[in-house]
Amino acid sequence: MTHFDMLLVEGRVVDPLHKLDEHFDIGIVDGKVKAVKSGLDRRTADKIIDLHGKTAISGVIDSHMHAEKAGYRMMAKVGVVTGVDFSERMDILCENVKARGSGMNVATLANVRSYDTAPGTEVDRKEIERIVKRAVEDGALGVKMTGGHNPFTPDTTREIIEVANQQRAYVAFHVGTTATGSNLNGLKEAVELAGKNSLHVAHVNSYLRGLIKDPVEESLEGLAALRGKRNIVSESYLAIINGTGGKCVNGIPDSGVTRNCLRFRKYPETQDGLEKAILDGFCMVQIEAGGECILVSGREGVQCWKDAKTDIGISFPVNVPQSTFLCATRKDETGKFIVDAISTDGGGIPRNVSVASGLALVRYGALTFEEFVRKVSLNPARMYGMTSKGHLGEGADADITVLDLERGEAVMGIAKGQVIMIDGVVIGHSGTIITTKAGAKSIENAGLKSDVVDLEDSWFFHK
Ligand SMILES: [Zn+2]
């Protein structure tokens, strides 16, 4: 008789990889899925959780988030089990995971800028090689460029993509160079700069907000640029608010994205314009309260922004629902999604809505439930070569998100066989770092558990 550490009984189990959609029990041993079938022997289980009326899927993976400090709890609360941070250096990430990891699995793509010793728009090739190598040895899966906020020249951007590919490291791109911007032109340019190299295009929806032409036209054009590109993986998010920086230098907002947002509603692209936008409620300031991040505007928002000497996260409601809808649902002629995954670009920004809004798309009929599971779990797992995640086959990590489809939300999160969230209350601690072989030593030195993935198994290199 198999002994189970935990048995999840009588839930509906949906696993697109194994084409399962039935009422089954799930038996867990040593943090792994041992058996998925009906009538598993309850007498051999240490713990039994009744999932009657609930739906179990492989754990939700946020393929693009920014956890910072408050993010882990905010993600775990809504059923996310694994997240890929898009900027944090591994040393900072490890400290945060230890203190507030909420039991999640976490990987990171380090921002090239955080290793850049001479920040500018150009970086020489030797320096790029050093940066990518260092990021991977520190435990990151690769690097990320924030072209929309602090762009490089097209040549430097192309070289960063090339070097990462040569070193077989992951590279993600918030599009935009000194020649374009965080918009449709930047998106098209990114596809060109990648050439035949592999590239992750981040939050596709955010370039299709209608800055150049009608947002639906932009979306169709942007998605057409990505169609059939086997060397490009991508995600998009569903939230209406974005996330950017409020920092001003010499009276001007530092981030190109922030200036875009102000222009969007015809505010002056200055510090005074930004203050007015916060006062009016068009711009919301991200503050930490109760261990989470919340948004404030009006006088309170202006005060918080000033208290931080303008250097604080801010959000604007600038994403166009039609664009986020098209990015989430559009397929090519073979029936494959053009954008691989639904992400949040959230974490520490309160817009972790991939489950809530993803399930709304299911209720609306825009996605089947099976497609929803692919977009929030199976596809992100494949993008990053997380072969033991994204499905519930025997031997898979016991990462499970339990959904209440009537309420349209996650009611339980399980990471590697440990319950980390029940009914919105987060009970998980610390976390596991997902890294490559080259980074495992650094994670061990940091005193955290690690799981090693091989990017050669990923869609990033072999879609
Ligand atoms: Zn991001």
Side-chain angles (χ1 to χ4, degrees), residues 64-66 86 144 174 202-203 345 351:
H64 177 166
M65 58 81 174
H66 298 269
F86 266 47
K144 189 232 172 155
H174 174 163
H203 48 51
D345 197 16
R351 53 171 173 174

Side-chain angles (χ1 to χ4, degrees), residues 3-22:
H3 159 266
F4 297 110
D5 298 330
M6 194 196 287
L7 207 49
L8 307 173
V9 299
E10 293 184 2
R12 175 187 172 200
V13 179
V14 179
D15 174 357
L17 186 67
H18 296 101
K19 301 190 169 51
L20 290 185
D21 183 353
E22 272 188 71

Side-chain angles (χ1 to χ4, degrees), residues 51 77 80 105 177 197 214 218 231 239 247 271 289 320-321 334 375 396 406 445 456 458:
L51 296 190
K77 191 174 171 177
V80 179
N105 309 299
T177 66
N197 283 311
D214 177 84
E218 283 191 359
N231 61 318
K247 186 179 171 190
Q271 184 161 349
V320 179
T334 70
K375 283 218 131 182
E406 255 163 56
N445 291 343
E456 296 306 326
S458 71

Side-chain angles (χ1 to χ4, degrees), residues 15 17-18 20 32-36 388 390-397:
D15 174 357
L17 186 67
H18 296 101
L20 290 185
K32 301 272 184 192
V33 174
K34 181 67 189 170
V36 179
S388 62
H391 65 93
L392 296 169
E394 186 177 347
D397 292 343

Side-chain angles (χ1 to χ4, degrees), residues 175-208:
V175 310
T177 66
T178 50
T180 55
S182 186
N183 55 34
L184 177 61
N185 294 336
L187 176 59
K188 290 179 181 170
E189 181 195 35
V191 174
E192 278 167 33
L193 291 173
K196 288 195 163 50
N197 283 311
S198 295
L199 180 68
H200 176 126
V201 174
H203 48 51
V204 175
N205 59 288
S206 70
Y207 319 123
L208 309 171

Side-chain angles (χ1 to χ4, degrees), residues 404-419:
D404 180 329
L405 295 185
E406 255 163 56
R407 280 157 60 187
E409 62 188 23
V411 291
M412 185 177 292
I414 299 173
K416 305 192 82 177
Q418 301 294 320
V419 176

Side-chain angles (χ1 to χ4, degrees), residues 148 174-176 180-187 204-219 242 255-267 269 282 316 318-320 323:
H174 174 163
V175 310
T180 55
S182 186
N183 55 34
L184 177 61
N185 294 336
L187 176 59
V204 175
N205 59 288
S206 70
Y207 319 123
L208 309 171
R209 291 172 178 153
L211 277 167
I212 297 172
K213 52 178 103 169
D214 177 84
V216 173
E217 280 178 48
E218 283 191 359
S219 298
N242 77 339
S255 163
V257 173
T258 301
R259 297 195 301 272
N260 272 353
C261 292
L262 292 171
R263 187 160 71 244
F264 203 67
R265 283 279 182 96
K266 304 199 165 48
Y267 284 94
E269 294 170 48
F282 174 54
F316 296 87
V318 288
N319 287 299
V320 179
S323 302

